[in-house]
Amino acid sequence: MLTENESKPAKAPRAAPSARVRRNGLYTDIADHLREMIQEGELAPGSRILEKDLCEYFDISKTPLREALKVLAVEGLVTHRQHIGYRVAAIDIDEIAAVFEVLHGLEETAGRCLAKRVTEGALHAIERKHQAMVAHHHNGKRAAYFQLNQEIHQMMIDAAQNPVLSSIYAGLMTKIHRARGVANADSARWQESLDEHEAIMAALQAADRSKLPQLMKEHSEHTATESMKALRATPLK
């Protein structure tokens, strides 16, 4: 048990981390692993982090673990209270809902810009990443799929060639990454999300890309609907 949560038991931990992390115990490596565990829901929102268990899990001392936790505290992924310790930061549902509202418009705007400005090089890069993501889906590799999913979204935004849009989008995505992961934890939504990505790719590759803005907006709206539904059904404290 890596965290203590009064309302919901912690999920079973993944396989032991890589030998590289166990050998050098660098706090940056530990922070990367903890960040992924939080974003993928393995360390539940609001749950208390049990340092002893994590030290045993990573086979490290408390020093690199606490340095890693300080990094995550700066990022807002964990909170710390004296004499109580660290907890995984709770998800603010109202904030997530507000971010999604803004995101829908950004996706639609990005679709319009992307349709006009995407280069052949960017298109081929997105397609390669998309095919790798599809392979992860077929192999049931959810974490790897979700990582590529995030990269593809940012690649499409960047290919729209609007630096202001790219900057705003990247900032918003850090706020909702965990929420989107909760939605994709549902197998039905995972398949639906892949189908939507396939439709977006088809529109991006078509001679007439007029459907692209609406498809990107609808994908964002569907993700938001499922994310909010899953968050409201999940105890956060």
Side-chain angles (χ1 to χ4, degrees):
M1 182 174 174
L2 304 181
T3 59
E4 180 179 84
N5 190 310
E6 294 81 0
S7 57
K8 184 179 180 181
K11 294 173 61 177
R14 66 177 69 188
S18 68
R20 177 178 64 85
V21 172
R22 291 200 303 272
R23 281 199 307 270
N24 59 36
L26 293 174
Y27 77 89
T28 52
D29 291 330
I30 303 302
D32 288 343
H33 278 269
L34 289 174
R35 186 183 299 107
E36 183 178 350
M37 293 170 76
I38 291 171
Q39 291 173 339
E40 298 303 326
E42 292 185 48
L43 298 178
S47 58
R48 188 163 69 89
I49 294 174
L50 302 180
E51 294 185 27
K52 181 177 181 293
D53 289 358
L54 281 172
C55 286
E56 293 177 357
Y57 178 61
F58 288 114
D59 191 17
I60 57 173
S61 67
K62 286 187 176 181
T63 299
L65 175 63
R66 288 179 176 173
E67 289 300 315
L69 290 171
K70 288 177 183 178
V71 171
L72 299 184
V74 171
E75 295 176 5
L77 290 176
V78 302
T79 60
H80 181 264
R81 292 182 62 185
Q82 191 172 9
H83 306 308
I84 295 178
Y86 287 93
R87 283 186 179 272
V88 179
I91 295 176
D92 186 331
I93 295 181
D94 292 335
E95 180 185 31
I96 296 300
V99 171
F100 270 124
E101 285 184 353
V102 175
L103 197 61
H104 304 332
L106 290 181
E107 291 279 6
E108 186 175 21
T109 299
R112 287 197 298 270
C113 296
L114 187 61
K116 295 184 293 184
R117 300 172 185 165
V118 64
T119 65
E120 285 299 314
L123 183 58
H124 290 321
I126 293 170
E127 171 62 20
R128 287 194 298 271
K129 190 81 73 171
H130 174 76
Q131 291 305 324
M133 184 185 74
V134 171
H136 286 321
H137 180 272
H138 290 335
N139 293 325
K141 296 181 178 179
R142 193 181 300 273
Y145 171 95
F146 191 54
Q147 177 61 40
L148 291 187
N149 180 289
Q150 301 305 300
E151 293 176 11
I152 288 169
H153 276 275
Q154 189 64 53
M155 287 173 72
M156 289 193 292
I157 295 296
D158 293 341
Q161 299 186 52
N162 184 315
V164 175
L165 178 65
S166 293
S167 177
I168 295 173
Y169 184 89
L172 292 180
M173 288 304 292
T174 61
K175 295 179 179 294
I176 64 168
H177 185 95
R178 282 196 289 167
R180 297 179 85 237
V182 168
N184 279 340
D186 178 79
S187 295
R189 174 56 196 162
W190 192 16
Q191 179 61 57
E192 184 181 64
S193 177
L194 177 63
D195 293 342
E196 291 167 5
H197 267 268
E198 294 274 26
I200 289 170
M201 285 304 304
L204 184 57
Q205 294 170 324
D208 179 6
R209 297 179 177 133
S210 59
K211 294 182 179 179
L212 189 59
Q214 186 62 27
L215 287 172
M216 291 179 67
K217 179 183 179 183
E218 289 176 353
H219 175 59
S220 179
E221 290 173 340
H222 295 162
T223 299
T225 297
E226 295 305 315
S227 297
M228 298 307 297
K229 185 189 303 182
L231 287 175
R232 291 187 173 112
T234 303
L236 300 180
K237 296 181 180 181

